Amino acid sequence: MTKQAGRSARDSVWREGGPRRGGRSGQPSGLDRERITEASVRLLDAEGLAKFSMRRLAAELNVTAMSLYWYVDTKDDLLELALDAAFAELRLPDPENTDEDWREQLRALATAYRQLLFRHPWLSPLAGRFLNIGPNALAFSRVVQRVVRRAGLPAHGVTGAISAVFQFVYGFGTIEGHFFARIADTGLSPDEYFEQAMAVVDEVPGSGDVMKESKDLMAARGGDTVAEMLDRDFTFALDLLIAGIEAMVARG
């Protein structure tokens, strides 16, 4: 986990016992934590983490920056609230529903997490910075644990299986988000960008043999668009991980 200057493992907005909604005398009217958090998520989506500031958020809400401090103590508090608000978008299966196969539930959770990381590129650095102990993040973690436990692994192997699947998803979704953000800055479509990038790499001295082999592998993989190629890779990699869990269960 990334270390933050001036913060410790005990620093979290969630240690207050739940988000407060102002509560101090003289706080500005028309604001509450829910509205501030929603605006933070919109601003992070629109402008990214690097440009996020209390002053910019206050302008978005048409209030003074100081008025925000009636509801949070620091900018990090707001980022932690925004992080957990994003986790609320995840649709969680019922891990106790034995009519649903644990494999399909795990695939659904992994796919939803990938999509969340893609929709919110700012989420991945925050997930590594904070403790992820908000109610929505905890609900996600609880369901993941219960679904993986249903696979039949010994207790000591459950966290390793979770790490294998969701650290893969975290890395895949993070790189995918960065890739598409880079494309958006060019004004090209993903497929146009990919074609240009491949042409550039072809021009690099010594890349010929490597690129020929890579192109052969990509052709074997199939997929006519960048999105299709990414989906195929993600699905196959996830299937490999689930097969690995099944193999470990079979080994006893």
Side-chain angles (χ1 to χ4, degrees), residues 2 33 35-36 54-55 61 108 118 175 178 204 212 219 223:
T2 304
R33 270 196 171 179
R35 183 184 170 201
I36 293 170
M54 299 293 271
R55 187 180 299 277
L61 290 165
F118 179 77
I175 292 172
H178 290 327
V204 175
K212 182 182 184 304

Side-chain angles (χ1 to χ4, degrees), residues 165-218:
V165 174
F166 286 94
Q167 289 188 26
F168 151 69
V169 178
Y170 177 88
F172 193 100
T174 298
I175 292 172
E176 186 178 25
H178 290 327
F179 177 63
F180 278 87
R182 187 188 316 149
I183 292 170
D185 290 339
T186 68
L188 300 171
S189 72
D191 299 319
E192 291 169 339
Y193 181 89
F194 179 74
E195 289 180 8
Q196 286 193 12
M198 294 298 288
V200 169
V201 174
D202 277 337
E203 296 171 1
V204 175
S207 67
D209 291 341
V210 175
M211 287 309 301
K212 182 182 184 304
E213 187 173 338
S214 296
K215 288 176 181 178
D216 289 344
L217 290 173
M218 285 187 285

